[in-house]
Each structure stands twice: as structure tokens, then as C-alpha cells.
Amino acid sequence: MSLRLLMMGVMLLGISLSIGISSWLSTHDSHQQIEELFDAQMLQSAKMLEMFYGAQPEEHRQALVTHPLLLAITPANVETFDEDASAKNLAYEQKLAFQIWQPDGHLLVRSTNSAAIPMANFNEGYHRNQFQGSLWHIYCYYSVRDDIWIMAGQRDDVRQELVQQIVGNSLIAPAIVFPLVALLMLFLSYWLLEPLQTLADKLKRRHPDDLTPLQLQLPSELMTVRDAINAYIARVTAAITRERQFSGDVAHELKTPLAVIKLHHQGLQQATEPGEILLHHQALDKGIEQIAHTVEQMLLLSRIESLEQLQVTSVDLGELVQQVLNDMLPLIADYQWQLELPPHLQVCADAFYLKLVLKNIIENACKYSGDAGPIRIHAWQAQHNGDVMLQVVDSGPGLDEAHCQQLTERFFRVEKEKVPGSGLGLSICAQIINLHKGQLSIKPGTPCGLAVQIRLPPAC
């Protein structure tokens, strides 16, 4: 759908409705005013005829009974207001008529353009009658003083012509202005929407690799569109940068174990001693295990990044921690555990993904705590906002504050770290907690180790 055509259509429709409504109101009001004006004119004419008749001597009035007075109306050569007429030859005159009658039906006075029959019944007031083939407006007036009926008439087309002329004149200006306004609107629509077309052309000609922000000068109404496009470009650039970094990190992480596997595979082909063969087999198993773990973590990270919404419910955090510990029992049985888990502590979470987080954090705590080191798991509910806090503190060597801030970055590993891993676990945990609208933070433990803290919303 064209916005330009829609805008023009709506505006022209509005103008048309305005003209139509104003013309209808003008016609209605003009017709009403003209009716009242001419009705008053007929009433005034009837009273003037009464005054004229009353001023006549008695003998003249008696003579009118046998010889009615005729007022000559000169036939006009014009019929409508559109034609020219002189003061002595008006179109109006032949469309006006009057009669004076006695109550017994004797005609006293009439205009020559009316027949010698009453134009209306002898009933005082206004009438609309068909008379001499035309519709007439007639006012019947009874003079009590002179005992006569006076009838003043006017043809209906007089009023209609006047109304039509008024309406026609009121429509001439809109008929001239409307096409001009339409052309002006067409020009303005192209002129005002030209920046939008410029923006579209700029985007069409833009190279796919060009991710620089748009620098067009646009009207204020389009600045928000430009800013939104620039924000989108920034997000795309950040996503591409992350993907490139991710691909580079993956290639780097897989290159080392693959090189080790290749080296030991070659060594295995040349080895002859049983001890040497066993050494190469163990190294191959370790390299394959590391690659499998890295690929598994990358697949999990990819699945989490594609998630848009979690299936959250109210979950008992203490029970969930116990389930994770029970599932990991063969691996954690030798460690000293200090559990401080209040009963019935509910959180709003997806149980499946929260168990992945807890399993990863507890597994890391076991890796870095040494042989049978104590590990403390503590949960509580914050007083100021009601959020639920869970903290896992290991007894390992720990890290400084700067390194703690980098632990959630992908593939980050501390130099000379001997514990195997891919550097993806805590990054995955942080993304899962963010999807829960929570927060994962890491800081040095007291007096040693690392303290991994999770903040989660309370029960749903």
C-alpha cells in the first residue's frame, strides 16, 4: 500500500466531506431563509393590497364587482436569473400574482398572469397549490375591515432558482480550488517524502559488508527511523563480531587437542614398548575426551542462545540442590559439604536449566577445591526486594578481582591452569541466569577459594 496515495486519499476525502457538509448546510439554511423572506414578502404584499383597496372611493369599489380591475403584467423575455433582465422587464414580475375576492366569490382585482379563478381556497394562511400548470406559494389574507380575501402568490421556481444560484456560487470556488489543492498535495507528498526515498536508495546501494552507521540528514520525524536502523546495525555488528570471535575461539580450542591427538597417533604407530604404547593411548583418550567436552559445551551454548523464553514455574531451591547433589554423588562423595538451605525456599525458574547451572557450578567447586576440600552452599532470601540468593564457596586457591570479572567470558581460562575444561561453563551459566531475569556474580572467597553467587526472582 502506498503511503503517499493513502495520505492524499484521506486528505482529499476530508476536503470533499468538508465541502459537501458545508454546501448541504448552506443549501438548507439558504432554503429556509428564502422561504421565510418570501413568505414575509407575500404577507406584506397582501397588506399593501388591503391598504390600496381601502383607499378607493366607495363607488370605485362597487364598480369592481361588475368590472374587475386587471393589473397588466408585461410578458418577459427572460425566465431565469442566469439571463439578463432590465428593471422594466424582470423575470420576477411574471412569476408573481395577486387576486382580491369578495367572500361570495366575486372577483374584484387580479394580475393578468392569473386566471379568473381563486388561486387557493378561502382559508387564511399559507398554501402550496398547483395553479396554471405550476406549483405556487400562496398567502390568503382576510380583511375584516373591508370584508375581502386577498391572495398573493409566487411561483415555486423563483425560490428554487435563487437557492440553486446561491449553492452554485458557493460551489464554484471549491470546484476551482479542489484540483489545485490536489496538485499541490501531490507535489508536497513527493517533496516531503523525498528524504524517505533517499534513505531507501541509500540502503539499497549499501554494500552488505558496510556496517557503518548512517549519517544522512533527515527531518525530525525520520530521525527516529535512522537511529533505529543505526541501532540495528550496531546489534548486527556486535553479533557478527561475537560469532567471528566464537569461531576463532573454537578453532583455537580444538586445534590444540587435535594436534595432540595427531602427535600421539603418529607416536603410537612407531611405538614398540608396552609402556610407550599405553602412554600414547592415554593421551589419545584424554584429547578425545577434551574435544567431546568442548563440542558438548558449544552445542549447549548454541541451544541456549536460540532460546526466547523459559518454561518457568515455582521451584523449591533446596530440593533442587539436593537432587543435583544426589545425581553427582559418585563424583562428590569425598568432599566436605556445608549445606545451609532453608526449607520451602521457592524461586521462579525453569528446573531443567537451573539444574544445569547448579551442576556446572558444583562441578567447578569440586575441581578447584583439591582433595576433599570443604565446599559451602548457602541460600537465603533478601529482605529488601525478596529475591532468592544462592552462594557456592569452594576451598581452592581462588583468583583476584580482575580475573573473577572475566570468568563468564567465553573460552576464558587463567594462564597455567592445570584443571581441564573448555572455558564455556560459567558463560553458559551466566546466560541461563540472565534468561531467568537473575544475575550471576563471582568474587574472591573468604579466606580463600571462589564465591559464585546467583540471584533469582522469588516464587512465580
Side-chain angles (χ1 to χ4, degrees):
M1 178 182 292
S2 171
L3 291 177
R4 181 183 292 111
L5 294 178
L6 180 61
M7 179 182 67
M8 289 187 58
V10 171
M11 294 183 67
L12 291 177
L13 178 61
I15 294 174
S16 301
L17 289 176
S18 300
I19 294 175
I21 293 174
S22 62
S23 299
W24 182 84
L25 291 175
S26 175
T27 303
H28 181 268
D29 292 342
S30 298
H31 190 272
Q32 186 175 3
Q33 295 295 330
I34 288 172
E35 290 286 341
E36 293 179 0
L37 175 64
F38 283 127
D39 287 345
Q41 184 184 34
M42 289 193 301
L43 173 61
Q44 187 179 48
S45 298
K47 291 183 177 180
M48 290 179 65
L49 288 171
E50 178 189 26
M51 184 174 62
F52 157 76
Y53 181 81
Q56 300 299 314
E58 181 62 27
E59 59 272 17
H60 287 178
R61 286 187 283 178
Q62 292 296 329
L64 293 176
V65 176
T66 56
H67 297 87
L69 179 63
L70 300 179
L71 176 62
I73 302 297
T74 305
N77 296 323
V78 293
E79 286 291 332
T80 66
F81 293 116
D82 295 331
E83 302 175 77
D84 294 329
S86 64
K88 295 182 179 180
N89 192 22
L90 295 175
Y92 250 177
E93 189 178 10
Q94 61 183 346
K95 299 180 181 182
L96 303 176
F98 67 89
Q99 297 175 339
I100 300 178
W101 295 83
Q102 285 185 334
D104 58 3
H106 285 91
L107 178 64
L108 302 177
V109 180
R110 71 177 177 89
S111 57
T112 56
N113 60 339
S114 67
I117 58 174
M119 290 189 293
N121 295 329
F122 293 155
N123 293 322
E124 193 166 12
Y126 293 98
H127 305 272
R128 293 181 64 187
N129 292 336
Q130 287 290 335
F131 182 69
Q132 298 183 154
S134 300
L135 180 62
W136 286 73
H137 294 260
I138 302 165
Y139 179 71
C140 292
Y141 176 73
Y142 176 68
S143 175
V144 178
R145 184 191 64 185
D146 299 318
D147 189 28
I148 56 173
W149 284 94
I150 302 173
M151 298 182 182
Q154 183 184 69
R155 269 171 46 180
D156 180 71
D157 55 352
V158 173
R159 305 186 181 199
Q160 299 303 324
E161 287 173 14
L162 191 55
V163 171
Q164 292 171 4
Q165 188 173 26
I166 293 174
V167 174
N169 291 336
S170 66
L171 292 177
I172 290 176
I176 297 174
V177 172
F178 189 81
L180 297 178
V181 171
L183 292 174
L184 179 61
M185 288 175 56
L186 183 62
F187 168 75
L188 288 176
S189 67
Y190 277 96
W191 180 56
L192 295 176
L193 295 178
E194 181 63 27
L196 189 60
Q197 186 63 43
T198 303
L199 177 61
D201 294 339
K202 185 79 173 179
L203 292 174
K204 288 179 182 178
R205 294 193 300 268
R206 197 175 182 88
H207 193 273
D209 295 333
D210 185 2
L211 295 177
T212 58
L214 295 172
Q215 300 296 333
L216 289 174
Q217 293 297 324
L218 298 171
S220 58
E221 291 80 6
L222 292 179
M223 291 294 286
T224 55
V225 177
R226 189 200 67 179
D227 294 342
I229 293 175
N230 286 339
Y232 177 73
I233 291 175
R235 291 196 299 271
V236 171
T237 302
I240 292 175
T241 302
R242 286 196 303 269
E243 293 302 323
R244 287 174 178 172
Q245 183 181 358
F246 180 78
S247 301
D249 292 340
V250 168
H252 175 75
E253 289 296 321
L254 294 180
K255 182 170 63 176
T256 300
L258 286 174
V260 171
I261 291 174
K262 182 177 180 181
L263 178 64
H264 286 283
H265 180 264
Q266 292 174 351
L268 183 62
Q269 290 177 335
Q270 299 173 1
T272 57
E273 298 294 329
E276 188 179 1
I277 294 174
L278 179 61
L279 178 64
H280 288 304
H281 274 298
Q282 290 175 346
L284 286 172
D285 290 341
K286 186 177 179 180
I288 293 172
E289 182 180 350
Q290 184 177 354
I291 289 178
H293 177 73
T294 302
V295 171
E296 181 183 356
Q297 293 287 76
M298 288 189 298
L299 291 176
L300 178 59
L301 181 61
S302 176
R303 183 173 64 177
I304 291 172
E305 287 184 335
S306 64
L307 283 176
E308 296 182 358
Q309 188 175 3
L310 297 173
Q311 301 296 323
V312 296
T313 57
S314 293
V315 178
D316 190 304
L317 184 60
E319 292 182 1
L320 198 66
V321 172
Q322 291 289 352
Q323 291 176 16
V324 173
L325 292 175
N326 291 335
D327 294 341
M328 300 177 65
L329 191 58
L331 301 175
I332 66 173
D334 296 332
Y335 294 88
Q336 301 175 24
W337 294 93
Q338 299 174 5
L339 303 180
E340 299 177 21
L341 303 172
H344 310 300
L345 188 58
Q346 301 285 321
V347 294
C348 185
D350 186 311
F352 174 79
Y353 285 103
L354 186 55
K355 286 178 70 174
L356 289 178
V357 172
L358 295 175
K359 180 181 178 182
N360 196 299
I361 294 174
I362 292 173
E363 186 177 352
N364 282 345
C366 293
K367 287 180 181 179
Y368 293 98
S369 291
D371 295 334
I375 301 173
R376 180 171 178 257
I377 301 179
H378 176 211
W380 71 95
Q381 188 163 19
Q383 297 294 328
H384 61 285
N385 57 10
D387 287 347
V388 176
M389 314 298 293
L390 176 71
Q391 189 176 64
V392 179
V393 183
D394 62 48
S395 55
L399 295 171
D400 57 29
E401 189 72 33
H403 282 130
C404 287
Q405 300 299 324
Q406 295 178 280
L407 287 177
T408 55
E409 297 179 5
R410 297 177 180 179
F411 299 108
F412 174 78
R413 291 179 61 79
V414 179
E415 293 182 4
K416 299 181 181 180
E417 187 177 347
K418 296 181 180 180
V419 178
S422 63
L424 287 173
L426 289 176
S427 175
I428 294 172
C429 292
Q431 291 203 38
I432 293 176
I433 297 302
N434 288 336
L435 288 174
H436 282 86
K437 296 181 174 57
Q439 184 179 11
L440 184 145
S441 59
I442 305 173
K443 58 184 179 181
T446 303
C448 61
L450 285 180
V452 181
Q453 182 172 290
I454 299 173
R455 178 179 59 82
L456 292 169
C460 301

